[in-house]
Amino acid sequence: MLKELTGKIDETLKPFGYRKKGNTFYCRQNGNLAIINLQKSVNSNKEKIVFTINIGICSELLKKQNGQSEAIPDIDECHWRMRIGYLLPEKNDRWWTISNIDDISKISDEIKNALETAVLPIIKKVSSDDSLISIWKSGEAPGLTELERIENLLGLLKIQGADDISPLVSEILRSVKGKPIENSVKQYLKDEFNYET
């Protein structure tokens, strides 16, 4: 049943330049990789398939810098990640259940609408490295830990050859002071920037 559903999703995404690999759809957007992935729940069985959709953006610059393989990244390797439900009006995790072939038509229509009205527009908005930097500078980090946000932000600025990041580093150090990640951030700054605190 999932195969039939991914076929329907493929029909929706193909005109936007997406290619399919298993349960993952990917496309180059603003120099980066946009990932749309169907994740099956452990509650799936022979009688029903329970699934959600993950969305991710993988910065090609960070991917190369971090020595990640050339393969299409898994969703957990993306530098911006979000579940589809948080882009929908309910702003809640959203899982669908397919228990028979008749469910596919209704569910695929619902997903098509969600992809076209919520997912594709947000991907277009956040997929560039400049957008990711802006998001991370604001303190937001969908799908990332605070340490990952800081490392990705500073790493991408370094790759881009940003002039003076001292004010940003000072702000980051103030924000992590006394937190469990403080030492990890200081070690990262020392290792990557020879920044002694």
Side-chain angles (χ1 to χ4, degrees):
M1 289 185 283
L2 196 59
K3 188 176 179 182
E4 287 84 354
L5 180 68
T6 57
K8 296 267 190 191
I9 293 173
D10 192 29
E11 290 172 16
T12 298
L13 293 175
K14 196 173 270 186
F16 296 95
Y18 282 80
R19 298 175 70 185
K20 180 178 176 294
K21 182 183 176 188
N23 294 336
T24 297
F25 302 85
Y26 63 95
C27 177
R28 301 231 177 263
Q29 290 267 332
N30 295 313
N32 289 327
L33 272 173
I35 305 291
I36 298 172
N37 167 261
L38 273 69
Q39 176 191 336
K40 274 173 60 172
S41 165
V42 293
N43 295 322
S44 297
N45 55 42
K46 289 180 181 177
E47 285 76 41
K48 66 179 183 181
I49 296 169
V50 182
F51 71 96
T52 189
I53 297 176
N54 299 303
I55 300 105
I57 302 296
C58 180
S59 164
E60 291 281 35
L61 290 176
L62 281 174
K63 182 180 176 191
K64 187 174 179 182
Q65 176 76 16
N66 296 338
Q68 289 172 266
S69 78
E70 293 294 314
I72 301 305
D74 292 332
I75 199 72
D76 60 0
E77 296 175 299
C78 288
H79 304 107
W80 180 96
R81 302 186 286 268
M82 189 171 279
R83 285 254 178 91
I84 192 170
Y86 296 99
L87 297 173
L88 300 176
E90 302 81 27
K91 302 271 187 257
N92 238 333
D93 207 4
R94 177 73 168 96
W95 292 79
W96 288 270
T97 301
I98 302 173
S99 52
N100 61 65
I101 203 77
D102 296 331
D103 293 337
I104 293 173
S105 180
K106 179 184 174 201
I107 289 172
S108 66
D109 286 346
E110 188 179 333
I111 291 172
K112 178 182 180 182
N113 182 58
L115 290 170
E116 292 177 345
T117 61
V119 174
L120 295 175
I122 194 73
I123 285 174
K124 187 174 182 183
K125 182 179 177 185
V126 305
S127 58
S128 73
D129 284 329
D130 287 343
S131 296
L132 291 173
I133 286 169
S134 258
I135 291 165
W136 295 330
K137 276 186 174 178
S138 77
E140 295 294 314
L144 305 181
T145 65
E146 180 67 0
L147 182 59
E148 288 172 327
R149 177 189 77 84
I150 291 167
E151 289 178 351
N152 287 341
L153 170 59
L154 295 176
L156 199 46
L157 287 170
K158 180 181 180 183
I159 295 166
Q160 289 186 339
D163 293 334
D164 182 17
I165 61 166
S166 297
L168 178 59
V169 168
S170 297
E171 181 185 323
I172 287 169
L173 287 170
R174 277 194 303 276
S175 74
V176 299
K177 190 166 179 60
K179 292 184 179 177
I181 65 166
E182 182 179 6
N183 288 336
S184 298
V185 170
K186 287 180 176 178
Q187 189 63 52
Y188 173 79
L189 290 168
K190 183 179 179 183
D191 293 344
E192 296 296 322
F193 294 89
N194 297 318
Y195 196 99
E196 295 288 347
T197 55

